[in-house]
């Protein structure tokens, strides 16, 4: 298997498979493929289906297999931004924002990741539930806008406006922090809370969360009757 990520800010990952190799995609992620790619839609049981639905993905996934020779499949991002590839190994688990999973190759398990503190879920802006990817293989994830990376040392913190956390290694901890000062809350335009990520670990930050863009353009959208 080999792959390339093309398209700049409108990215697509093109995955080339040897005969018999498989790729798992989020429902609707396939953009184009060679004619020898066989698709099988799977649920994986009610527990896994529920887990995927709660973590922002579709309840079913598609497995594509290259039959009779080498095959190719392309998965495009659903939003202008970035596609990143992560090598997952035992002990190297990733935490992703909801809906980030695009495709995977290998033995990858996608499950729910609960924040340890309820406050981070209800007020932090990243959602109470994120995605946890573990196992052995490669995961392709889609993020919103440009991605900036930070390597946090033990105890080092990064404060983010809500919605900008794209991914982090499982060694990081996340919580919320109330914006201090009534005037700052009322007139600062940053809301009530910030997201605080504490190292050690690696953090991926996205510059243009889809929810923020939707909120910015909504006043200019005129709905017809």
């Amino acid at each position: 298997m080999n792959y390339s990520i093309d398209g700049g800010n409108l990215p697509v990952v093109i995955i080339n498979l040897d005969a018999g190799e498989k790729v798992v995609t989020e429902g609707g992620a396939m953009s184009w493929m060679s004619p020898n790619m066989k698709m099988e839609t799977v649920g994986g049981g009610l527990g896994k289906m529920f887990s995927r639905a709660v973590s922002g993905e579709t309840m079913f996934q598609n497995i594509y297999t290259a039959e009779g020779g080498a095959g190719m499949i392309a998965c495009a991002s659903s939003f202008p931004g970035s596609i990143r590839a992560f090598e997952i190994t035992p002990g190297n688990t990733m935490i992703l924002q909801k809906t980030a999973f695009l495709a995977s190759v290998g033995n990858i398990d996608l499950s729910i990741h609960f924040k340890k503190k309820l406050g981070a879920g209800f007020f932090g802006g990243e959602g109470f539930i994120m995605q946890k990817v573990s196992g052995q293989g490669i995961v392709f994830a889609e993020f919103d806008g440009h991605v900036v990376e930070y390597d946090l040392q033990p105890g080092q913190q990064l404060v983010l406006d809500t919605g900008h956390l794209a991914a982090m290694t499982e060694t990081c901890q996340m919580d919320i922090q109330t914006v201090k000062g009534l005037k700052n809350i009322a007139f600062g335009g940053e809301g009530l809370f910030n997201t605080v990520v504490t190292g050690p670990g690696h953090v991926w930050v996205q510059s243009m969360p889809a929810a923020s863009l939707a909120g910015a353009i909504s006043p200019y959208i005129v709905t017809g009757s």
Side-chain angles (χ1 to χ4, degrees), residues 111-135:
S111 59
I112 296 173
H113 175 73
F114 289 94
K115 297 179 179 64
K116 293 183 178 180
K117 296 185 179 180
L118 291 179
F122 291 116
F123 304 111
E126 267 66 42
F128 177 51
I129 296 172
M130 297 181 75
Q131 297 178 341
K132 178 179 179 179
V133 288
S134 57

Side-chain angles (χ1 to χ4, degrees), residues 140-210:
F140 301 98
E142 56 176 322
F143 302 136
D144 305 335
H146 180 68
V147 174
V148 181
E149 300 181 35
Y150 293 93
D151 191 26
L152 301 183
Q153 300 303 310
Q156 185 179 4
Q157 293 184 324
L158 185 67
V159 181
L160 302 91
D161 192 15
T162 57
H164 286 270
L165 177 62
M168 63 184 184
T169 54
E170 193 181 24
T171 55
C172 291
Q173 300 295 322
M174 193 181 80
D175 199 2
I176 64 163
Q177 182 181 80
T178 305
V179 174
K180 297 181 179 179
L182 182 60
K183 185 169 65 174
N184 293 337
I185 293 174
F187 304 109
E190 301 295 342
L192 294 174
F193 303 96
N194 288 322
T195 301
V196 181
V197 179
T198 304
H202 205 78
V203 180
W204 289 258
V205 180
Q206 57 191 11
S207 66
M208 187 174 61

